[in-house]
Amino acid sequence: MCGIVGYIGTKNPLPIIMEGLKRLEYRGYDSAGVAAVDGDALHTQRAAGKIVNLEEKLLTDPISGSYGLGHTRWATHGRPTEENAHPHTGCKGQIVVVHNGIIENYLPLKEELKASGHVFKTETDTEVIAHLLEDESDDLAEAMQSVCKKLTGIFAVAAVSVRDPDRIVAARMGPPLVVGLGEGENFVASDVPAILHHTRDMVFLDDGEVALVTPEGVRFTDFDGNPLAKDATRITWDPIQAEKAGFKHFMQKEIFEQPRAIQETLVSRVSLEQGRVYLQELNLTPEVVRSLDRIVLVACGTSWHAALCGRYMIEELARIRAEVDYGSEFRYRDPLLDENTLCVFISQSGETADTLAALREAREKGARTAAICNVVGSMITREAEGTLYTHAGPEIGVASTKAFTTQLTGLHLLALYLGQCKGLLDEEKIRAHLEALQRISSQVEAALDLEPHIERIARQYMKYKDFLYLGRGIHYPIALEGALKLKEISYIHAEGYPSGEMKHGPIALIDENLPTVALAPRDPVYGKIFSNLKEVKARDGKVIVIADEGDEEIRNVADEVIHIPKTTALLTPVLSVVPLQLLAYHIAVKRGCDVDQPRNLAKSVTVE
């Protein structure tokens, strides 16, 4: 959610920090601030609202220093005001802190500190950390280790102190934190894109770890001060992938990156010649797969919709009972798990707090675990027994697009692999599925060519206040995803429903003011969705249909038809979601919404 950037080295830190904060804007925030250390003086500048407000303040009231920290905040404790913006200091102004997360026991800690003479200036939980550090040793790393053991909750913290100069100390317990390694300079950030223009070599902190960062190097310990050996990860993303590359918005760019992202998710994992799928990174041997009697797919948001599609894929291709759970609900119902259950955790960022907590619950109960994730080195990938990386590259837009279609691709590979291990799919059957998978990238490109047609539809429907999305079977999750996209970025109320449920309530809402978006591929239940749409038209409803290429009959019950290439039933969702992404995008743009940073949303939800 919030963003952290820190720099220590030989360069002016402020341009590097400000650049990093801008690269983290996609995470969502409502205020921003920076701090710089200049000899024995600490300087801070903060502003409510967007980073441009902070830049304006720095122009009129500049600060300087040789190293420092920056932060973008999304308010949890305290209003989104300049006063509550990070960085925060203690009473003496000698230590400055930035923090992502929530300190659950901040109130009793605050009362103890006030009783001992500390004076607080903000409503935040973060300020407690600065005051606690102030009461500890001058050695900032030792102070951080001690303070972290007093905190209850989740936190990623970075601090600097004039009492212990020329170092940044960072600690993690929950939200992500990464240290970037340079030559004569080093970096701290909450996400890779913030510092990827300066280094590709990253060390990801695990929970309970502290990093002491100086220009010469980095030292890692646990909260008890025990030294830790940490390996660096080489990030292969091209920094230009995090730029707009001529597109108006990151979301639009990422929608158009989907053919490449899907193809890269397939690379080195399939053999058409042999008719086989190779997923060694999951650490699931055929013997283990044959022992499984249940698979639980756990995710949040868009990833949950991918999981719903994955259930259909797994049950059809591998004939293993599959369930789907929300990460936020999974551990609170005391799930029944054992060694014959495989829990698959799906997350774009690999840092989603609910999904990570669910993974830990599954491990404690003895289940086998696997992850489907986009971010190398993220916490979920480090804690799962195996990971299928989606290789989508950095996704900056808050509303997920290419992460979703690569998750669908990864789930299809997983289902094929499970069926292969169980001996249910021979080479010929697998080859047929792989041939369809190999074609899907070019078919997504064909769907993207429909953008002018979809933009025209968006212009016609942009003023409606409510939408209904309908789909059946594996297309119901795509109806949910289409509705979610529209809600997220245009702020239009939209609901996704199984089309068979329309007559059990939603039909009461249908009139000329409620457009219906329907997914109607030529599958065994085509006649039923056709009948549903006739009922919508009978009530003067407007109908937009996603249909198979060549289906002209559907025009009899539609006001607008968007034809997509025909593929297999299990891969159709990869194609049908693309027009829904473009429809939501263009409606939002025409309504003047900020599609990359929609209000109240963050890219990675790292607190419950």
Side-chain angles (χ1 to χ4, degrees):
M1 294 168 70
C2 309
I4 290 173
V5 182
Y7 173 79
I8 188 164
T10 58
K11 300 169 186 170
N12 180 354
L14 288 172
I16 294 170
I17 292 168
M18 292 297 292
E19 174 199 34
L21 292 180
K22 289 178 181 177
R23 296 187 191 282
L24 293 180
E25 283 190 293
Y26 68 94
R27 294 172 67 94
Y29 69 104
D30 48 45
S31 61
V34 290
V37 183
D38 187 10
D40 60 357
L42 259 175
H43 305 289
T44 63
Q45 190 63 274
R46 303 177 296 179
K50 296 295 185 181
I51 288 174
V52 65
N53 299 341
L54 177 61
E55 289 180 310
E56 290 173 358
K57 294 194 71 173
L58 287 169
L59 284 174
T60 58
D61 188 10
I63 64 174
S64 61
S66 55
Y67 61 100
L69 299 169
H71 190 267
T72 50
R73 174 183 186 249
W74 188 0
T76 53
H77 293 78
R79 296 161 296 163
T81 62
E82 180 181 327
E83 178 186 64
N84 289 326
H86 298 213
H88 291 297
T89 62
C91 295
K92 300 174 184 177
Q94 297 176 322
I95 295 172
V96 72
V97 169
V98 293
H99 160 234
N100 295 350
I102 295 174
I103 307 302
E104 295 173 0
N105 63 333
Y106 87 101
L107 282 175
L109 289 172
K110 187 173 184 177
E111 291 306 312
E112 289 177 16
L113 288 162
K114 288 168 70 175
S116 64
H118 286 265
V119 177
F120 285 78
K121 301 183 288 290
T122 77
E123 303 169 290
T124 69
D125 55 340
T126 302
E127 191 183 355
V128 166
I129 302 172
H131 289 274
L132 288 170
L133 287 170
E134 195 171 63
D135 278 357
E136 295 288 342
S137 161
D138 285 349
D139 185 308
L140 187 57
E142 290 182 2
M144 183 67 79
Q145 293 158 7
S146 176
V147 167
C148 285
K149 289 189 285 188
K150 298 177 181 179
L151 304 177
T152 301
I154 61 171
F155 51 87
V157 183
V160 294
S161 170
V162 295
R163 297 180 345 198
D164 193 9
D166 299 318
R167 60 195 58 209
I168 298 172
V169 174
R172 171 179 181 161
M173 181 56 76
L177 205 57
V178 60
V179 174
L181 307 179
E183 294 185 8
E185 61 182 4
N186 289 297
F187 309 81
V188 174
S190 52
D191 206 353
V192 167
I195 53 178
L196 189 56
H197 276 67
H198 301 283
T199 178
R200 291 176 179 272
D201 296 317
M202 310 283 180
V203 180
F204 294 87
L205 268 66
D206 289 313
D207 283 352
E209 294 184 351
V210 175
L212 170 59
V213 185
T214 69
E216 295 76 31
V218 186
R219 183 162 54 88
F220 300 95
T221 70
D222 60 21
F223 286 175
D224 292 320
N226 299 310
L228 300 171
K230 301 279 290 180
D231 294 325
T233 298
R234 183 78 172 171
I235 302 298
T236 57
W237 300 344
D238 185 337
I240 200 65
Q241 289 181 288
E243 302 296 339
K244 292 179 184 175
F247 289 93
K248 187 174 181 181
H249 299 96
F250 282 116
M251 182 179 178
Q252 185 186 31
K253 171 178 175 281
E254 288 155 10
I255 289 172
F256 277 82
E257 286 176 335
Q258 288 176 116
R260 175 200 58 77
I262 291 167
Q263 194 59 43
E264 291 192 7
T265 301
L266 296 174
V267 167
S268 78
R269 289 171 170 156
V270 301
S271 171
L272 277 172
E273 183 178 339
Q274 297 175 355
R276 292 191 66 79
V277 176
Y278 297 95
L279 297 178
Q280 296 94 326
E281 64 266 46
L282 283 177
N283 295 318
L284 288 172
T285 65
E287 293 74 24
V288 168
V289 172
R290 287 192 288 270
S291 73
L292 299 175
D293 58 22
R294 183 169 63 131
I295 293 177
V296 181
L297 302 162
V298 183
C300 298
T302 285
S303 297
W304 187 76
H305 299 155
L308 289 173
C309 291
R311 178 178 62 186
Y312 286 93
M313 298 174 186
I314 290 167
E315 291 194 339
E316 179 169 328
L317 297 176
R319 307 309 295 166
I320 303 175
R321 181 161 50 102
E323 303 170 8
V324 180
D325 234 318
Y326 281 112
S328 57
E329 297 293 329
F330 181 77
R331 63 193 173 113
Y332 294 112
R333 62 176 181 83
D334 193 18
L336 299 174
L337 306 172
D338 57 30
E339 67 276 6
N340 297 321
T341 301
L342 172 66
C343 292
V344 181
F345 300 88
I346 308 170
S347 171
Q348 188 283 137
S349 68
E351 302 288 354
T352 306
D354 293 319
T355 307
L356 183 56
L359 188 156
R360 290 167 177 165
E361 178 81 4
R363 287 175 58 189
E364 287 181 9
K365 290 182 177 292
R368 297 183 181 276
T369 60
I372 296 177
C373 185
N374 188 42
V375 179
V376 176
S378 58
M379 184 64 91
I380 283 174
T381 68
R382 297 202 298 279
E383 295 201 9
E385 295 171 49
T387 298
L388 195 165
Y389 284 108
T390 52
H391 300 305
E395 189 177 66
I396 305 302
V398 166
S400 182
T401 52
K402 63 177 179 173
F404 178 69
T405 49
T406 54
Q407 286 170 351
L408 293 179
T409 304
L411 284 161
H412 199 282
L413 288 175
L414 174 62
L416 287 171
Y417 178 74
L418 295 173
Q420 172 183 291
C421 290
K422 292 189 67 180
L424 298 175
L425 302 176
D426 59 23
E427 291 180 12
E428 185 178 345
K429 288 180 180 177
I430 292 176
R431 188 176 293 113
H433 285 285
L434 295 183
E435 287 172 351
L437 270 170
Q438 293 285 16
R439 290 192 297 269
I440 203 71
S441 292
S442 60
Q443 290 177 315
V444 170
E445 287 182 355
L448 290 168
D449 289 340
L450 300 171
E451 186 180 30
H453 174 48
I454 295 167
E455 185 176 5
R456 180 188 63 77
I457 295 173
R459 188 179 304 115
Q460 185 175 345
Y461 285 85
M462 60 176 281
K463 293 184 180 178
Y464 286 88
K465 296 180 179 179
D466 302 277
F467 277 72
L468 177 65
Y469 284 69
L470 297 177
R472 251 192 137 97
I474 198 171
H475 310 293
Y476 163 54
I478 304 306
L480 290 174
E481 176 62 12
L484 177 62
K485 283 293 156 284
L486 191 66
K487 281 185 280 196
E488 284 181 314
I489 62 173
S490 74
Y491 317 138
I492 294 172
H493 173 249
E495 296 295 335
Y497 264 86
S499 57
E501 290 295 300
M502 186 187 74
K503 288 184 284 188
H504 294 273
I507 197 169
L509 301 173
I510 293 174
D511 60 17
E512 68 276 8
N513 297 314
L514 181 73
T516 296
V517 181
L519 297 147
R522 280 277 189 176
D523 60 16
V525 293
Y526 176 81
K528 295 186 181 298
I529 187 82
F530 195 94
S531 176
N532 291 142
L533 296 181
K534 287 177 69 174
E535 292 171 324
V536 173
K537 293 300 295 177
R539 288 157 180 79
D540 298 322
K542 303 290 185 183
V543 176
I544 303 168
V545 178
I546 312 298
D548 284 342
E549 206 167 43
D551 181 4
E552 296 302 322
E553 182 185 0
I554 200 70
R555 294 188 186 279
N556 294 324
V557 290
D559 296 278
E560 299 287 349
V561 179
I562 302 170
H563 285 112
I564 59 173
K566 189 166 179 58
T567 184
T568 64
L570 294 181
L571 283 176
T572 299
V574 179
L575 293 174
S576 60
V577 75
V578 173
L580 301 186
Q581 294 169 346
L582 288 169
L583 181 65
Y585 169 77
H586 283 292
I587 287 177
V589 169
K590 293 181 188 311
R591 288 168 62 91
C593 301
D594 187 343
V595 297
D596 285 336
Q597 299 173 51
R599 68 190 184 204
N600 302 330
L601 293 177
K603 184 62 181 173
S604 178
V605 182
T606 57
V607 297
E608 286 196 77

